[in-house]
């Protein structure tokens, strides 16, 4: 406002610091007249920010200054832990879950626009956007390997924090049992009807990377089988299947021993 009795001649109006201005003042202002300076604040950093509006004119005590202050706030996305490692997991089965905590350690609300898992991993969360300063939420991650060996992925969070997107690295190993039968077939010599032959041995070896769980080992036809395998065979370990022949009729007779387990395929056959 020009509170004097002469025309106020305005040379310049300028904002300093993280502030900007527009005004309706023009270059002159008559006595008792007013104009408006509109100021906006766009902080370039967090914390207290200071600036000013300076009016240069022909009034005494030129220039005139209005002091400006404001506080810059920013969200900060903090993830703990930043890396998850899953134990060995059978291919095509889902692991127990692990959790990641997302905390807004900043001074402004954290707005999440997307959250996704990649690779052989899946995620769910209880993160309701926006997340207030100092508040936290949980991201739950599971691992379902599609193949054997090292498997990697990430949970990626896109938000309004600096450095977006943020990510948690994920790792795990897919394992699978595998069955090797040596030999894969047996031939017995002539055997008197209704008497049992000397047994022949087949070695079953788990050549995979996970424990082999055996459901059954059964013989069909004029054959019978016993074994030392039990209910499971560790990776790299072996057991023996002993097969004997008891013919119920004359002539050539055929049969099988079938192993049912958690390998792929789930049955293996000795002819």
């Amino acid at each position: 406002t020009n509170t004097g009795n002469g025309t106020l001649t305005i040379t310049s109006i300028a904002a300093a610091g993280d502030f900007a201005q527009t005004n309706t003042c023009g270059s002159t202002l008559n006595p008792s007249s007013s104009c408006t300076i509109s100021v906006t604040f766009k902080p370039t950093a967090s914390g207290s920010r200071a600036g000013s509006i300076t009016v240069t004119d022909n009034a005494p005590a030129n220039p005139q200054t209005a002091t400006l202050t404001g506080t810059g706030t920013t969200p900060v996305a903090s993830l703990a832990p930043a890396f998850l490692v899953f134990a060995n997991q059978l291919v095509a089965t889902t692991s127990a879950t692990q959790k990641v905590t997302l905390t807004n350690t900043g001074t402004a609300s954290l707005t999440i626009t997307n959250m996704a898992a990649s690779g052989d991993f899946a995620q769910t969360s209880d993160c309701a956007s926006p997340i207030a300063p100092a508040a936290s939420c949980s991201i739950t991650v599971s691992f379902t390997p599609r193949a054997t060996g090292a498997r990697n992925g990430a949970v990626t969070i896109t938000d309004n924090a600096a450095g977006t997107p943020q990510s948690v690295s994920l790792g795990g190993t897919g394992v699978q049992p595998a069955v090797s039968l040596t030999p894969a077939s047996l031939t017995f010599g002539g055997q008197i009807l209704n008497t049992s032959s000397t047994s022949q041995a087949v070695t079953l070896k788990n050549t995979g990377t996970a424990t082999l769980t055996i459901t059954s080992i059964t013989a069909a036809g004029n054959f019978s089988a016993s074994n030392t395998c039990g209910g499971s065979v560790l990776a790299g370990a072996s057991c023996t299947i002993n097969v004997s022949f008891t013919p119920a009729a004359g002539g050539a007779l055929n049969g099988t021993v079938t192993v049912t387990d958690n390998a792929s395929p789930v049955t293996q056959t000795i002819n």
Side-chain angles (χ1 to χ4, degrees), residues 143-187:
F143 173 43
T144 307
R146 293 191 288 261
T148 59
R151 313 297 291 171
N152 298 301
V155 172
T156 302
I157 299 113
T158 305
D159 49 48
N160 65 331
T164 189
Q166 292 80 31
S167 64
V168 177
S169 297
L170 308 173
T173 301
V175 295
Q176 182 75 53
V179 174
S180 169
L181 294 168
T182 307
S185 63
L186 298 174
T187 300

Side-chain angles (χ1 to χ4, degrees), residues 41-56:
F41 174 43
K42 186 177 181 179
T44 57
S46 59
S48 179
R49 312 296 292 168
S52 62
I53 291 291
T54 300
V55 181
T56 304

Side-chain angles (χ1 to χ4, degrees), residues 83-87 89 94-96 98 116-124 140-146 149-155 168-174:
F83 188 85
L84 291 180
V85 178
F86 287 81
Q89 186 67 32
T94 301
S95 70
Q98 296 192 50
S118 64
D120 294 353
F121 301 87
Q123 67 80 28
T124 59
T140 302
V141 185
S142 62
F143 173 43
T144 307
R146 293 191 288 261
R151 313 297 291 171
N152 298 301
V155 172
V168 177
S169 297
L170 308 173
T173 301

